[in-house]
Amino acid sequence: MPSLEQTCERGGGRELSAPRLRSDTPERAGLDPGELEHLVQEVHDLTTGERPWAAGLVVVAGRGPVIAVEEASGWAVRFASYDPETDAGVELPRKARVPMTAATPFDLASLTKLFTAVAAMQQIERGTLGIDARVGAYLPDFRAAARHGVTVRELLTHTSGLRPELPLYDCADDAERLELLRSEPPIGVPGTYTYSDVNLLLLQHVLERITGRGLDTLVHDGITRPLGMTATGFGPCPGAAATEYQRRPWAKADRGMLRGVVHDENAWALGGVAGHAGLFSTGRDLAVFCRTLLAGGSYGPARILGPDFVDLLLTPPGLGFAIDQPWFMGELAGRGAAGHTGFTGTSLVLDRATDTFLVLLSNAVHPRRRPPDSGPRAAAATRLARAVRPTSLAGP
């Protein structure tokens, strides 16, 4: 199988051959083909027109071991820059654009948090990390978190009281960035939900301290390598879909058009490996990730978590995963569906009640970020929910 670098360099490479996932008809998956036809058409509609929802998009959907939809639409690279005077992207000549394919890698943005959460759960399963242990027990030098008694569970459930983000991108060097994290106290009421990238940055430091290994190594050795997810890893990833033309004032840094380097400014400032952002992946690889969790932590001969620990990960309110959120899960929400979204235009949902999964990857920030709109994500999930037939699922 190709390495991440090889896959990224040629914009995707060959599809992965996973032992438990296969492409087959909707009927073999126990899904209604008519609803999935609507899903595919609506995905294509999202990339058309003068101001599409996204320049390009990949959707992968299935049930049980069957991938019933794997579709690409639009462009991996469409724009050269963004013109603030016309509030429009500066389009590349058609021959210079890069078409989207099902194998195109994407900047996952906050879907990275799910991998950090699984890496943490692996340490909890091994007994090297306590779910209700205080962060200060592992990171005594992180003075503010230690002083306020922040726990590992609070980091995973976004109930630590830490603010949503810190301006690490404005720090002069790594030492200043580290000091900012060490001295940052909670500003909210502990136990109250406040979504925060800082939670996952602290969790990254906990994992790296107790294992003596970097997060990129933990994700590779503990998740992507055993699952055969060779197109998944931290960047750079030159063949990835382009993201944003970053310029102040709409962005937090002046970096120009981004492709193959992490979009998130804080993850960029941290060298591209961060607990909250930085991973690149493909739709097929994320389908493997979803299938593994739906199967209780195993995929083919590999086991990355035991079923009890998958239950702990996905039981409301969820550890790292969002649970039953209709705003992006549509009608899949309601019986324990789990997933997450990413700022660049990514999302995944897995529903254990129906054994279904939906991966939607886009470069919705290409050529520049807009106010978030998760309506298309919810609509796609609703199509999948309505496609579920009350029949036995296809066998392995």
Side-chain angles (χ1 to χ4, degrees):
M1 290 184 178
S3 68
L4 171 67
E5 292 78 11
Q6 292 169 332
T7 299
C8 291
E9 279 288 350
R10 62 175 180 261
R14 68 186 184 187
E15 291 185 357
L16 300 178
S17 176
R20 291 188 63 185
L21 269 180
R22 69 180 189 275
S23 297
D24 211 326
T25 64
E27 291 87 351
R28 287 290 299 157
L31 296 169
D32 179 76
E35 289 290 348
L36 295 188
E37 286 176 7
H38 285 302
L39 169 59
V40 169
Q41 183 57 55
E42 289 164 3
V43 161
H44 282 282
D45 291 344
L46 293 172
T47 64
T48 60
E50 292 186 4
R51 291 183 180 271
W53 183 75
L57 192 150
V58 169
V59 62
V60 182
R63 190 181 188 194
V66 176
I67 292 176
V69 172
E70 187 172 18
E71 190 80 10
S73 179
W75 302 96
V77 184
R78 177 176 174 176
F79 301 99
S81 62
Y82 166 78
D83 184 354
E85 292 187 4
T86 61
D87 188 28
V90 178
E91 291 196 295
L92 289 164
R94 197 171 186 87
K95 64 180 181 181
R97 300 179 195 177
V98 180
M100 191 69 74
T101 73
T104 298
F106 286 79
D107 181 335
L108 297 186
S110 285
L111 296 193
T112 303
K113 294 180 171 73
L114 304 183
F115 289 80
T116 306
V118 170
M121 194 58 58
Q122 290 175 331
Q123 297 305 315
I124 292 169
E125 183 176 21
R126 291 166 187 160
T128 56
L129 180 65
I131 183 65
D132 290 309
R134 295 190 173 190
V135 170
Y138 308 104
L139 301 175
D141 48 324
F142 281 61
R143 304 178 302 278
R147 185 169 64 252
H148 288 83
V150 173
T151 69
V152 171
R153 186 186 298 272
E154 288 173 342
L155 297 181
L156 283 163
T157 56
H158 296 283
T159 55
S160 65
L162 291 165
R163 72 179 73 194
E165 67 172 5
L166 293 171
L168 302 178
Y169 47 85
D170 277 341
C171 293
D173 52 33
D174 288 343
E176 186 177 337
R177 281 184 276 273
L178 183 58
E179 179 57 26
L180 193 58
L181 285 170
R182 285 173 170 169
S183 61
E184 176 66 16
I187 61 171
V189 177
T192 301
Y193 180 85
T194 301
Y195 182 78
S196 170
D197 290 347
V198 182
N199 287 321
L200 276 296
L201 286 172
L202 261 63
L203 185 59
Q204 174 187 359
H205 280 277
V206 169
L207 293 173
E208 293 180 341
R209 185 71 59 87
I210 64 176
T211 65
R213 295 187 292 166
L215 180 64
D216 51 347
T217 301
L218 293 173
V219 169
H220 177 263
D221 291 353
I223 304 173
T224 61
R225 183 171 64 183
L227 296 181
M229 296 172 61
T230 58
T232 303
F234 290 93
C237 183
T243 55
E244 186 176 31
Y245 184 69
Q246 284 196 352
R247 286 283 183 266
R248 289 181 171 94
W250 60 84
K252 301 162 188 171
D254 295 307
R255 302 168 62 199
M257 182 59 73
L258 304 180
R259 186 186 185 199
V261 293
V262 64
H263 172 271
D264 182 89
E265 292 95 338
N266 276 338
W268 164 67
L270 293 167
V273 178
H276 70 290
L279 275 176
F280 290 79
S281 188
T282 62
R284 178 63 69 114
D285 262 24
L286 291 180
V288 171
F289 182 68
C290 290
R291 183 66 210 143
T292 301
L293 295 175
L294 287 168
S298 296
Y299 187 81
R303 184 184 77 84
I304 63 167
L305 276 179
D308 290 346
F309 291 89
V310 174
D311 286 342
L312 183 60
L313 195 70
L314 303 182
T315 296
L319 298 177
F321 287 74
I323 309 295
D324 285 336
Q325 298 296 313
W327 62 274
F328 78 92
M329 298 179 182
E331 293 180 12
L332 279 178
R335 292 179 292 178
H340 214 285
T341 64
F343 186 80
T344 50
T346 60
S347 63
L348 67 80
V349 185
L350 54 99
D351 179 30
R352 293 195 288 176
T354 58
D355 202 22
T356 55
F357 58 88
L358 174 70
V359 176
L360 194 154
L361 303 177
S362 78
N363 52 353
V365 297
H366 182 55
R368 82 158 270 193
R369 65 191 73 186
R370 299 288 182 183
D373 173 16
S374 283
R377 292 167 168 145
T382 293
R383 283 293 184 194
L384 181 58
R386 293 177 181 178
V388 173
R389 290 175 166 177
T391 59
S392 61
L393 300 183

